[in-house]
Amino acid sequence: MLRVRLRTRAALTRFFSSVTLDSLPMPKHLVITADDFGLAPEVNEAVEQAHLEGVLSATSLMVGAPGADDAVARARRMPSLRVGLHLALVEAQPLLPAAEVPDLVDETGWFRSDTAAYGAAIFFQPKLRRQLEAEIDAQFEAYRRTGLVLDHVNAHRHFHLHPAVAGLMIAIGRRHGMAAVRLPAEPMSIVRDIDPSAAWALSAVTGPWTSLLGRRLRRAGLLVPDRVFGLAWTGAMTGERIGALIDRLPDGLTEIYTHPATGSGFRGAAPGYAYADELAGLVGPSVKAALARSGASLGGYGDALT
């Protein structure tokens, strides 16, 4: 009997010594984000409304965008809104003068929109990488000057999936206190459970780059979400879809990102995006009810670290 007790005690000791904080399941923590904060007054107005009247818990700031100053002023009035940096390196206005990043911009002075050729040039031309490094550093520095807490970092059009961009973002971001990064890994099984017609195409294209980015971010000691929703339905994250996702929310850290705005006539608006519908969903009763049913905590990435 004594030998049995000793063996049992030894087995329990081995089990509990193998359990770490990382291996314990994380309760449901949800981050509901609005991208493009600062792009235009219509976006800024929607972010403020969706946070004060709805379920929006976080937003990502474009520091070089025309409405950035207005966005920062609104964020300072809403200390419960978690704010991160939305690195804008494509299809947006650079923070540095165009003369300092001539190979990153087109004839209008905005970042290039020929994403494939642009990405290849970054791989093969060191001068582009030097300009990119200067622009990324300038955007992090501009965010620091706002005085806002840096909750997270992501990139416009998920451009941080580019390995060279990711490397620069990690190196520069860590110097500026970056602790969490969006990893755009969307579980299509959940998406297709809601909408069987949802296409796998985007997930198939981004999958290898997402896996590579995830490994690099985790090796750098950065927090990444267990899953992110918003890719398959980008520009069409209606209240019905957001509510259905929340009803199927697994344990762990989940981000749902959206693009609300009060109008669609601003420069940089994506054709076909249902901006007003997304805002309506974020403030609608059905999404609030789904959140209450889920038992999930709602906040930013930083709240999951505390």
Side-chain angles (χ1 to χ4, degrees):
M1 179 65 71
L2 179 60
R3 285 196 297 272
V4 171
R5 288 175 179 170
L6 289 174
R7 284 198 298 270
T8 302
R9 182 180 297 174
L12 289 171
T13 300
R14 286 195 300 272
F15 170 76
F16 284 112
S17 65
S18 70
V19 175
T20 66
L21 290 177
D22 290 338
S23 66
L24 293 173
M26 180 183 181
K28 294 178 184 178
H29 183 74
L30 179 60
V31 182
I32 302 181
T33 310
D35 280 356
D36 302 343
F37 194 39
L39 182 59
E42 293 91 336
V43 176
N44 299 348
E45 292 164 359
V47 168
E48 184 168 17
Q49 182 182 349
H51 179 64
L52 296 179
E53 302 177 18
V55 299
L56 189 75
S57 61
T59 190
S60 302
L61 174 66
M62 302 174 77
V63 292
D69 289 344
D70 173 65
V72 171
R74 292 173 190 266
R76 288 172 178 160
R77 296 197 299 265
M78 297 182 288
S80 57
L81 178 66
R82 305 305 187 232
V83 185
L85 174 61
H86 195 51
L87 276 175
L89 303 168
V90 63
E91 298 181 17
Q93 185 176 11
L95 185 65
L96 293 175
E100 295 184 27
V101 288
D103 299 295
L104 306 184
V105 299
D106 58 21
E107 63 279 0
T108 71
W110 277 44
F111 286 118
R112 294 166 53 171
S113 57
D114 57 336
T115 310
Y118 183 26
I122 291 170
F123 265 124
F124 297 112
Q125 298 184 37
K127 65 177 181 178
L128 264 74
R129 293 195 296 275
R130 289 193 293 270
Q131 293 173 28
L132 198 64
E133 180 178 9
E135 176 66 24
I136 292 173
D137 187 64
Q139 290 190 29
F140 270 101
E141 178 59 25
Y143 190 96
R144 184 193 65 77
R145 290 196 300 269
T146 69
L148 299 170
V149 174
L150 182 62
D151 181 74
H152 59 271
V153 177
N154 51 52
H156 194 49
R157 308 296 190 198
H158 308 301
F159 206 52
H160 60 315
L161 287 173
H162 190 295
V165 175
L168 291 170
M169 179 192 69
I170 292 169
I172 295 168
R174 291 181 71 183
R175 295 201 302 267
H176 287 271
M178 179 177 74
V181 177
R182 174 188 293 163
L183 180 66
E186 185 170 51
M188 285 301 297
S189 58
I190 295 177
V191 172
R192 287 178 65 86
D193 185 50
I194 299 167
D195 178 8
S197 67
W200 289 84
L202 182 61
S203 178
V205 170
T206 61
W209 304 109
T210 301
S211 297
L212 174 62
L213 177 61
R215 290 194 296 270
R216 296 182 72 177
L217 294 172
R218 292 184 180 99
R219 281 200 304 268
L222 297 165
L223 175 66
V224 297
D226 295 298
R227 64 201 65 84
V228 168
F229 295 103
L231 281 79
W233 295 322
T234 188
M237 292 294 285
T238 61
E240 181 180 6
R241 285 170 170 167
I242 295 171
L245 288 170
I246 294 174
D247 280 335
R248 292 163 175 78
L249 205 63
D251 287 342
L253 175 58
T254 303
E255 181 184 4
I256 298 174
Y257 72 90
T258 65
H259 296 88
T262 56
S264 58
F266 52 90
R267 183 170 186 185
Y273 272 31
Y275 290 106
D277 290 345
E278 295 206 9
L279 173 57
L282 290 167
V283 300
S286 64
V287 172
K288 294 177 184 178
L291 183 61
R293 287 194 301 270
S294 73
S297 61
L298 181 68
Y301 279 86
D303 298 299
L305 287 166
T306 57

